[in-house]
Amino acid sequence: MHVPDGFIDVPTSAAFLGVAAVGVGVSLRGARRELDERTAPMAGLVAAFVFAVQMLNFPVAAGTSGHLLGGALAAILVGPYTAVLCVSVVLLVQGIFFADGGLTALGLNITNMALIAVPVAWLTFRLLRRVLPATRFGVLAATAVAAFVSVPASAVGFVVEYAIGGTTQVPLPTVLVAMGGVHLLIGIGEAVITTLTVGAVLAARPDLVYGARDLVPRLELRPAPANG
Amino acid sequence: MSRRALLWTGLAVALLLAGLVSYYASSSPDGLEKVAGDQGFLDSAKDSATAGSPLADYGVAGVEDERASVGLAGVLGVIVTFVVAGGGFVLLARRRTRDG
């Protein structure tokens, strides 16, 4: 899913660098409400985990692979604004040190994998949590669907960028069908990995799953018994 | 499980995945690469400005053994990502606390 330099022309890539900068700026403000000094290292772990799992390409069809995007995972574990920052740091590290995803294409990649995948996943998750029972099962079902839809949504982001500034002339419906089709399959992998990971954290420390904090019973305040 | 234990367990899992499991990852082109190849626009890709990085394409320059090369690159990537993101988030959280 990492767009290399050259697929999209320079003016469009530059414009999306601007889009990414605004998105990251907004997320820096939003993340301050999601983070405290105890959860901040956890959010760093989520970014490191997304980096690791993005290395694990899984086969999806003949001669094609896919890997986790991680936007849904990060949003459900640490909150949507922090998630945008997690994925953006991963993309920055990959672009600078690993030559994965072009540098001029960084704005395109942040737009697709952070600014599109995260809100799509988060809104889907919130919507489903409203209709599903407030149980672990409800959280995991919402997680699976949210992770699944985030991948084709991200792929559509690329198609839009290609429509605006593609350097080649492949008909858009062809690109849309091809990108959508393969990323529906990759979305299944995204759903499996995300659900397993959220399930594991939910089993260990449900209070640390941002999207499931309501499942943890709040501490009740009761008057202290007289004479203690 | 304490918060600290969860943090170390998670880091250990990430290091294992990037350091050992990554060698077994599929080397087939990913979705976008495959589509670009099928539709004939893969050649429009240009080398990244960082293509000469010692860690380019998830290998450590000069390490011959492929398993060691990808594993070491993965471990370094996990550490760098954790330090940059974790450090940034701690600073962000502190600023919030100070601003009240």
Side-chain angles (χ1 to χ4, degrees), chain A residues 1 5 32 57 97 100, chain B residues 26 30 46 53 58 96 99:
Chain A
M1 177 65 91
D5 289 333
R32 287 162 69 177
N57 281 59
F97 296 103
D100 189 12
Chain B
S26 167
D30 75 1
K46 295 189 182 114
S53 153
Y58 300 92
R96 179 187 87 148
D99 291 354

Side-chain angles (χ1 to χ4, degrees), chain B:
Chain B
M1 190 180 226
S2 77
R3 197 180 290 263
R4 188 176 294 259
L6 184 66
L7 187 67
W8 286 113
T9 307
L11 262 183
V13 171
L15 288 169
L16 274 174
L17 293 176
L20 294 174
V21 182
S22 59
Y23 177 74
Y24 301 96
S26 167
S27 52
S28 296
D30 75 1
L32 173 59
E33 233 182 316
K34 172 76 170 148
V35 169
D38 287 351
Q39 305 303 331
F41 66 92
L42 189 56
D43 288 343
S44 66
K46 295 189 182 114
D47 264 354
S48 165
T50 59
S53 153
L55 293 173
D57 296 323
Y58 300 92
V60 180
V63 177
E64 295 294 322
D65 181 70
E66 185 158 351
R67 192 185 292 261
S69 185
V70 64
L72 197 56
V75 165
L76 289 171
V78 166
I79 293 172
V80 169
T81 306
F82 179 67
V83 169
V84 172
F89 288 139
V90 168
L91 288 177
L92 207 59
R94 277 196 193 142
R95 234 171 91 192
R96 179 187 87 148
T97 315
R98 205 174 50 231
D99 291 354

Side-chain angles (χ1 to χ4, degrees), chain A:
Chain A
M1 177 65 91
H2 292 60
V3 182
D5 289 333
F7 279 7
I8 309 294
D9 64 27
V10 173
T12 307
S13 301
F16 276 96
L17 269 176
V19 170
V22 171
V24 168
V26 168
S27 302
L28 278 168
R29 292 186 68 85
R32 287 162 69 177
R33 291 194 299 273
E34 293 169 352
L35 291 167
D36 58 46
E37 289 198 42
R38 291 170 312 159
T39 55
M42 288 297 169
L45 169 62
V46 168
F49 187 82
V50 168
F51 175 90
V53 181
Q54 283 207 358
M55 287 182 75
L56 309 180
N57 281 59
F58 49 82
V60 288
T64 312
S65 73
H67 62 70
L68 182 83
L69 301 187
L73 176 65
I76 293 161
L77 288 180
V78 292
Y81 292 105
T82 309
V84 166
L85 301 177
C86 284
V87 176
S88 299
V89 169
V90 169
L91 292 168
L92 190 68
V93 169
Q94 288 170 332
I96 290 177
F97 296 103
F98 296 91
D100 189 12
L103 285 189
T104 62
L106 185 62
L108 305 165
N109 285 318
I110 288 179
T111 301
N112 298 341
M113 287 185 262
L115 300 183
I116 294 176
V118 169
V120 165
W122 182 247
L123 294 176
T124 306
F125 178 81
R126 296 282 302 169
L127 201 72
L128 287 173
R129 287 247 25 225
R130 227 175 265 175
V131 295
L132 289 168
T135 59
R136 280 188 191 190
F137 175 80
V139 170
L140 292 177
T143 297
V145 178
F148 172 73
V149 298
S150 71
V151 181
S154 190
V156 168
F158 171 78
V159 179
V160 170
E161 292 155 1
Y162 187 83
I164 299 172
T167 55
T168 45
Q169 312 301 328
V170 180
L172 283 181
T174 311
V175 180
L176 181 64
V177 168
M179 281 298 283
V182 67
H183 287 94
L184 284 172
L185 294 176
I186 296 172
I188 297 172
E190 182 93 12
V192 171
I193 298 170
T194 306
T195 308
L196 286 175
T197 310
V198 171
V201 182
L202 212 48
R205 285 291 297 263
D207 57 315
L208 292 182
V209 178
Y210 184 88
R213 289 164 307 167
D214 57 305
L215 295 191
V216 182
R218 285 165 194 273
L219 289 176
E220 272 184 68
L221 288 175
R222 289 185 195 164
N227 307 321

